[in-house]
Amino acid sequence: NGGQYERGRRRRRGKGESAMPAPDRSRRKGRICGGLLFAAYLAVLLRITVFRSGAGSAPLMSGSWNGSLFTAYLPLLQQGDWLRIVYLFGGNLCWFVPLGWALRRWTGRLWPAVLCGFALSLAIEAGQYLLGTGQSELDDLVLNTAGALLGAGLAALWGKLARRKGGETPRT
């Protein structure tokens, strides 16, 4: 078997010819690379947020919870510690931009990407609380979700700009 159709006629593949046309192989490789990069991103994200060094050494549910919105930034503002504020605020936003981007590109929709960002952030905060590996904060949940929204919005904008220029936007 293994023939291809060309202008309504079936022809046999020549030696060294693949069953999959070149653009399809390239797209498939892009999807595989994108999936691997996404898996690596998630592994790093979970490593720096939940599975830090010392994870599992504290008793279960030994974490702390800060349910007030952005009050942890007030002492930093009073001390003028702008670098720490930018690190915490920007980091929480930036770490979830790739998630929103990738999910928007894969699903073609904005809200599933944002909801997945919220769900992952909630899981991270719960993991930090349960394992005692960080302070679970409402700020983080809000900023992480906003980062996913930002990433999804940037992916949508990227797609619009590419279509406007007449280019095709692959869903890697």
Side-chain angles (χ1 to χ4, degrees), residues 10 13 51 64 75 91 96 124:
R10 185 179 170 139
R13 284 194 310 264
F51 301 109
S64 60
F96 276 70
I124 287 172

Side-chain angles (χ1 to χ4, degrees), residues 113-127:
V114 175
L115 290 174
C116 284
F118 173 80
L120 179 59
S121 180
L122 187 61
I124 287 172
E125 297 304 317

